[in-house]
Amino acid sequence: METQIPNTASAVIVGGGIAGLSVAYHLAKIGWRDLVLLERKQIASGTTWHAAGLVRSNIGSATLTRIAMESQPLFSELENATGQATGFKQNGSLGIADNPARWEEHRRAYSFSHAMGVEAHLLDPGEARGLWPLLETKDLIGALWYPTDGQVNPLDFAQALAKGARQLGVKIIEGVKVNAVRSVRGRAGGVETCKGPIESPVIVNAAGMWAREFGRLAGVPVPVQACEHFYVVTEPIEELPSTLPVLRDMDGCAYYKEDAGKLLLGAFEPKAKPWALDGIPEDFCFDELPEDFDHFQPILELAMKRVPIMAKVGLRKFFNGPEGFTPDQRYYLGETSELPGFYVLAGFNSIGIQSGGGAGKALAAWIDGGEMPFDLTAVDVQRAGSHEAEQNFLVPRVTEALGLLYAMHWPGREFETSRNVFLSPIHQETEAVGAVFGAVAGQERPNWYAGASQARVYDYSYGRTNWFQNVALEHYATRNAGGLFDQSSFGKFLVEGRDALACLERLSSNFIDVPIERVIYTQWLNSKGGIEADLTVTRLDTDRFLVTTGAAVTKRDLTRLSRMAHTFKDVAITDVSRKFAVIGVMGPRARELLQPLTELDLENSAFRFGRAKVARVAKVSCRLTRISYVGELGWEVSCLAEEAPRLWSDLYNAGSKLGVVPAGMYAMNTLRLEKGYRHWGHDISPEDNPYEAGLDCFLRLNKNVEFVGQAALVAKKDIQPSRQLMSFRLEDPVPLLHGNEPIFAGEKCVGWITSGGFGHSLGVSTGLGYVSERNISREFEIEVAGERFFAVGSLKPLYQPKNPHIRA
């Protein structure tokens, strides 16, 4: 065991669980030397040692599934390289359904498995009992069987990673606590430990449930909260097969696995118990928490009905141990906004064993290459807001989030706790006319509008929800008259200075050096030509610009902009996101609504698409930007936040006489899908380039300033893309697309729906998805919950491909 603290290191990894060990191992495997891993106590002494060790592949999203699939080969790789067994048993996993909703969830997961290349089978209750003889099946509808899943021994896995890392030269030093993080010229510079300082340009926070505490040392919010996690282990069961699959009974809040001839029953109870609110005890190491049998008893009672032998066999062990959970049920991976060179891999929400291997490999590639190796936006640590790391937000939220891990995973499910963090300037006004809110990055915004006597609740479903018809009405109104959208949650950055233009030109793939009052739609790319941001830039003056981006990526895009600005002498950036409100006035009667309220000439000849002008609207000083994300004539009207309620009132009153109605984000989504408008994080990502995404018409390869990613795109210019993003519509009006449905050409899966919804103007579900180039002209089917439906695919928008309304 290493005891000597080196003075310098190429990277310092803090945390000796699966996550930290995986990063160290994979960095060393890439070829990094002088790596140091510091563990405050002993390897695997935090969460890893008491993990259940479940291994599965399909985790519900493309990113999480891809990372988990990268983990499985690591088990045999380590055993071959080190001789240390990991205890991996590929005995499969079985998810059961005793109600129609859960059965549809399983069938949709089965379909998504086709897209991801994960073997899966739908079983009837008899087939399920054949795999799990102890299972009560009389009330089951069916089951979902993953033959390649299984289980692993977490301690053995950790020791194999540690041994493999040491063989590759990593210094693993136990019994060393980090007390401070040093920065040098705004970047990570090293750590101060209880045994002395280590200089290093790369620091990895893999501290598990200590990640929030360690993040504070660097001024970085890492919203991870420890919660109690319970399981029991039975006495030996003679008839228990050693090859028994892992069983998940999500409606029973339980999972089961064979454990050396005994049965382990674990729980994800509906209401979790956060732990160590005043801080994790300093001496915590391989510790157990006090029993709370009353808390666990409802799970055990359900288990005795589902697995009757549980009522007959004794319990050998009741275990309670802490694990780290995050506010949105996804772990954190990547470089932080606040301190370049400071990376995070933590907050695994009980999937650290099955995902840690692949996640560590992905982060190692990111550190080595300087950018995401593939699309990791779903877990990017830059989504974490500082408000989320505050205890008054984090504790209630993880109490709910842990409980929802085994609840129904409804499309668009909204969290109920820790809400109303950031309110729109017109929150009260939209609420007064029926707004039902959702939250993105802590910001409340209307998702849909309820009728006068309608309950403002979410009745979730994979089918037609209680808000389906409301959204249809908002959709139709926007297409035929108009919709008023609260778009105040946009991220808005003022970019000023002599070098402002040069900075934005370097970032943007479109021309930014345009006349004043022009609005430019552009992408910001990475060195491979992948799309890192999708936004607009408005030229306000010679050296003054406004960047507008989405609410969910405000922090991420501001980070990218700020880091580029630091390479220039005279660029000032001001985040004005909450200073200004934005009201979208969209639809064929938008001009008719606005013109009486302003002296500005709104006719097409005087105010063309892609222009922005300052004027008074209803006696409020505003900036009107003629642009549209819904495929209709429209303006985004921006004003100071304090003036927004008056502006909304006047727009609402004028619009009500014309059939213009308030409309929410759900309607905006259905409208943009019909038009084939891309949404960053779903349809476009750092892994997709503009040629594949059909955005090459916004590329300007002849710019005087070389933009980031230009060289990569020049090399691709004359090469046919291997895949392209297409718009799809089903021919059958009944099934609904929500995203992740596989696309088939013949019997071959050729892609999946990246985002989907019901196209109310078209009368059928619509979606976007990438398809390999050789299949673009084929006939398609899209699989929904195990059933295939004919679909029409098009490279052009499904609704008004020539944009006659937008430019009217």
Side-chain angles (χ1 to χ4, degrees):
M1 181 177 68
E2 297 281 350
T3 57
Q4 184 69 34
I5 295 287
N7 295 324
T8 63
S10 60
V12 174
I13 299 103
V14 179
I18 292 296
L21 291 166
S22 178
V23 176
Y25 172 78
H26 285 104
L27 276 174
K29 193 176 177 186
I30 291 171
W32 280 51
R33 297 295 176 259
D34 301 318
L35 294 166
V36 175
L37 184 146
L38 303 177
E39 164 54 45
R40 59 181 290 278
K41 293 294 184 181
Q42 298 177 44
I43 292 298
S45 62
T47 295
T48 294
W49 73 276
H50 63 73
L54 310 185
V55 176
R56 60 176 172 151
S57 298
N58 187 350
I59 310 188
S61 77
T63 297
L64 294 180
T65 299
R66 185 171 178 177
I67 291 172
M69 291 174 69
E70 287 278 359
S71 296
Q72 285 201 20
L74 186 59
F75 303 133
S76 56
E77 175 187 311
L78 286 169
E79 291 189 9
N80 293 335
T82 68
Q84 167 70 51
T86 62
F88 180 52
K89 295 198 302 182
Q90 204 164 25
N91 47 353
S93 73
L94 190 69
I96 58 174
D98 63 3
N99 61 78
R102 185 69 70 180
W103 183 227
E104 175 151 7
E105 178 176 283
H106 282 334
R107 286 185 289 125
R108 285 180 175 264
Y110 163 77
S111 292
F112 182 53
S113 294
H114 291 153
M116 298 306 296
V118 175
E119 184 181 357
H121 304 276
L122 294 173
L123 307 181
D124 62 34
E127 292 171 317
R129 189 179 179 91
L131 288 171
W132 233 88
L134 305 177
L135 184 64
E136 174 56 66
T137 60
K138 64 182 179 183
D139 62 335
L140 293 188
I141 299 175
L144 178 57
W145 163 237
Y146 293 106
T148 61
D149 287 357
Q151 60 195 71
V152 70
N153 185 308
L155 268 176
D156 287 344
F157 182 25
Q159 292 302 327
L161 276 169
K163 187 173 182 179
R166 287 190 179 105
Q167 287 177 348
L168 293 170
V170 179
K171 292 182 176 68
I172 297 178
I173 309 175
E174 299 176 283
V176 176
K177 183 181 178 182
V178 176
N179 296 318
V181 173
R182 297 176 55 207
S183 63
V184 178
R185 292 186 293 278
R187 292 188 56 87
V191 295
E192 298 281 349
T193 81
C194 62
K195 293 187 178 181
I198 305 175
E199 294 182 8
S200 178
V202 174
I203 303 168
V204 178
N205 178 354
M209 55 188 173
W210 290 269
R212 179 165 58 123
E213 177 185 334
F214 182 46
R216 284 199 190 107
L217 299 180
V220 173
V222 186
V224 174
Q225 172 63 49
C227 293
E228 300 183 30
H229 184 56
F230 303 88
Y231 60 74
V232 296
V233 181
T234 69
E235 295 289 350
I237 300 174
E238 185 175 342
E239 61 268 40
L240 196 68
S242 63
T243 57
L244 197 70
V246 171
L247 175 68
R248 290 183 179 85
D249 177 13
M250 291 185 168
D251 289 296
C253 306
Y255 61 86
Y256 306 76
K257 75 160 189 172
E258 187 274 336
D259 185 27
K262 303 176 285 295
L263 198 59
L264 182 150
L265 163 66
F268 288 105
E269 65 278 21
K271 188 175 182 180
K273 291 184 65 179
W275 175 73
L277 302 186
D278 297 324
I280 300 170
E282 185 65 30
D283 59 353
F284 188 92
C285 180
F286 292 113
D287 287 355
E288 298 183 30
L289 304 183
E291 294 183 3
D292 188 346
F293 198 81
D294 289 342
H295 187 77
F296 189 79
Q297 187 171 357
I299 310 298
L300 184 58
E301 289 174 354
L302 291 172
M304 290 176 178
K305 297 176 182 178
R306 180 58 62 203
V307 182
I309 200 170
M310 292 292 297
K312 302 175 183 178
V313 66
L315 299 181
R316 171 170 287 191
K317 176 69 175 177
F318 184 102
F319 183 84
N320 180 10
E323 297 186 24
F325 293 86
T326 67
D328 60 4
Q329 303 173 319
R330 288 175 281 137
Y331 50 87
Y332 298 118
L333 187 158
E335 187 177 26
T336 61
S337 297
E338 295 76 9
L339 185 62
F342 188 87
Y343 295 81
V344 177
L345 184 59
F348 276 93
N349 303 279
S350 283
I351 62 170
I353 304 302
Q354 58 202 321
S355 300
K361 182 178 179 180
L363 183 57
W366 188 336
I367 295 169
D368 183 60
E371 55 192 19
M372 289 183 182
F374 56 92
D375 179 16
L376 294 167
T377 54
V379 292
D380 187 356
V381 69
Q382 291 187 18
R383 75 184 189 277
S386 58
H387 67 280
E388 295 178 290
E390 297 299 324
Q391 200 171 62
N392 61 353
F393 180 97
L394 185 58
V395 172
R397 174 57 64 81
V398 296
T399 303
E400 178 189 12
L402 189 157
L404 292 177
L405 288 174
Y406 271 21
M408 283 296 301
H409 301 97
W410 297 117
R413 184 162 194 161
E414 293 282 345
F415 288 106
E416 297 177 2
T417 55
S418 302
R419 295 290 297 272
N420 298 321
V421 178
F422 304 117
L423 300 183
S424 163
I426 54 173
H427 181 90
Q428 291 183 347
E429 286 69 25
T430 57
E431 186 176 39
V433 293
V436 185
F437 296 95
V440 173
Q443 300 191 72
E444 299 287 330
R445 56 189 194 176
N447 277 341
W448 56 284
Y449 286 81
S453 59
Q454 185 179 4
R456 301 185 188 188
V457 297
Y458 288 90
D459 185 8
Y460 296 106
S461 170
Y462 281 105
R464 284 157 170 76
T465 59
N466 66 312
W467 64 83
F468 182 88
Q469 193 57 38
N470 299 69
V471 174
L473 292 173
E474 295 167 28
H475 182 115
Y476 293 139
T478 304
R479 288 276 186 250
N480 296 303
L484 294 181
F485 296 85
D486 181 3
Q487 297 174 265
S488 304
S489 60
F490 279 158
K492 300 172 278 288
F493 319 131
L494 196 60
V495 186
E496 302 172 285
R498 288 190 303 273
D499 295 327
L501 175 61
C503 173
L504 290 169
E505 288 282 26
R506 179 85 175 103
L507 276 171
S508 306
S509 58
N510 203 343
F511 284 126
I512 304 301
D513 191 3
V514 295
I516 295 168
E517 296 187 342
R518 283 290 301 273
V519 184
I520 297 300
Y521 172 56
T522 188
Q523 286 72 49
W524 293 350
L525 311 177
N526 56 39
S527 66
K528 300 174 185 175
I531 301 169
E532 293 283 347
D534 182 69
L535 42 77
T536 63
V537 179
T538 303
R539 190 165 199 176
L540 307 177
D541 207 334
T542 305
D543 55 2
R544 194 163 175 263
F545 301 82
L546 180 69
V547 174
T548 304
T549 190
V553 292
T554 296
K555 180 179 179 180
R556 190 178 191 278
D557 292 352
L558 181 58
T559 298
R560 194 167 190 84
L561 174 61
S562 299
R563 290 184 180 176
M564 178 59 74
H566 286 156
T567 67
F568 292 86
K569 289 184 178 180
D570 185 16
V571 183
I573 298 168
T574 308
D575 183 356
V576 295
S577 299
R578 297 197 180 97
K579 184 176 181 179
F580 294 97
V582 180
I583 301 172
V585 184
M586 303 291 160
R589 304 191 78 173
R591 182 179 286 119
E592 188 178 350
L593 188 163
L594 285 167
Q595 189 63 82
L597 302 177
T598 182
E599 294 181 358
L600 197 65
D601 186 352
L602 300 182
E603 288 301 319
N604 191 55
S605 58
F607 198 148
R608 304 190 69 80
F609 183 80
R611 305 299 193 275
K613 298 177 182 291
V614 175
R616 298 187 74 80
V617 177
K619 299 182 181 180
V620 174
S621 179
C622 298
R623 174 176 292 108
L624 292 85
T625 303
R626 189 173 171 190
I627 198 167
S628 174
Y629 194 53
V630 301
E632 299 294 339
L633 171 70
W635 282 265
E636 292 173 359
V637 185
S638 173
C639 70
L640 288 171
E642 57 266 29
E643 299 275 11
R646 183 153 59 100
L647 177 64
W648 169 271
S649 177
D650 288 336
L651 292 173
Y652 176 80
N653 290 333
S656 62
K657 302 170 186 176
L658 302 173
V660 177
V661 305
M665 293 298 107
Y666 287 171
M668 181 170 282
N669 189 54
T670 61
L671 290 158
R672 70 97 184 171
L673 281 169
E674 289 185 335
K675 283 294 296 176
Y677 291 153
R678 284 70 168 140
H679 183 267
W680 194 91
H682 288 92
D683 313 307
I684 49 179
S685 77
E687 200 168 357
D688 311 309
N689 68 57
Y691 294 117
E692 297 168 329
L695 296 172
D696 50 303
C697 57
F698 301 104
L699 283 178
R700 300 295 181 264
L701 298 179
N702 60 336
K703 289 172 62 170
N704 293 330
V705 177
E706 182 177 351
F707 59 86
V708 177
Q710 181 171 341
L713 294 181
V714 168
K716 300 175 189 291
K717 183 176 182 296
D718 297 320
I719 302 173
Q720 185 69 36
S722 60
R723 62 189 186 119
Q724 287 192 268
L725 190 66
M726 299 183 70
S727 289
F728 291 90
R729 62 174 177 82
L730 298 182
E731 293 189 345
D732 189 323
V734 174
L736 299 184
L737 299 179
H738 297 294
N740 287 346
E741 295 86 2
I743 303 164
F744 283 84
E747 291 303 308
K748 184 178 180 181
C749 181
V750 295
W752 66 86
I753 296 297
T754 51
S755 56
F758 195 84
H760 295 283
S761 302
L762 303 174
V764 291
S765 280
T766 63
L768 294 167
Y770 288 92
V771 171
S772 56
E773 171 65 25
R774 61 183 177 275
N775 291 300
I776 283 176
S777 60
R778 299 280 298 278
E779 292 185 349
F780 297 102
E781 291 179 301
I782 295 175
E783 186 176 314
V784 181
E787 185 177 355
R788 295 186 191 177
F789 298 89
F790 288 109
V792 175
S794 173
L795 290 172
K796 296 181 179 180
L798 301 172
Y799 176 83
Q800 293 196 347
K802 295 186 178 181
N803 296 325
H805 288 186
I806 292 175
R807 300 181 182 277

